[in-house]
Amino acid sequence: MGGSFPKLSYKNLQTIKHALQEYLKRDGITENDMKSEQALLSKINDEIELMRERHRF
């Protein structure tokens, strides 16, 4: 997955992750929105994990 989020720092990805986690809790979310947003969250989590491994944080 490396390179999927070019020019985003670890801090940026963490901020997006936390915002998306809260956004997923909103009222009226459709099943399709839930699925696509969870898929995006999964990609972000994968990229964060790669950065942790690469930079040993």
Side-chain angles (χ1 to χ4, degrees):
M1 159 138 311
S4 298
F5 297 97
K7 302 186 186 201
L8 290 178
S9 69
Y10 178 82
K11 185 176 180 179
N12 291 153
L13 289 171
Q14 284 288 2
T15 301
I16 293 166
K17 173 186 158 182
H18 293 133
L20 189 51
Q21 286 171 329
E22 289 303 311
Y23 189 62
L24 282 164
K25 296 176 187 176
R26 70 190 185 278
D27 290 334
I29 188 170
T30 66
E31 187 175 335
N32 285 339
D33 285 346
M34 177 71 79
K35 286 179 184 178
S36 65
E37 291 161 15
Q38 285 177 331
L40 176 58
L41 183 57
S42 178
K43 289 178 183 179
I44 291 169
N45 282 326
D46 290 347
E47 187 68 20
I48 289 169
E49 189 58 36
L50 284 173
M51 290 180 97
R52 285 182 182 153
E53 291 171 6
R54 200 175 311 136
H55 301 289
R56 303 179 201 268
F57 349 120

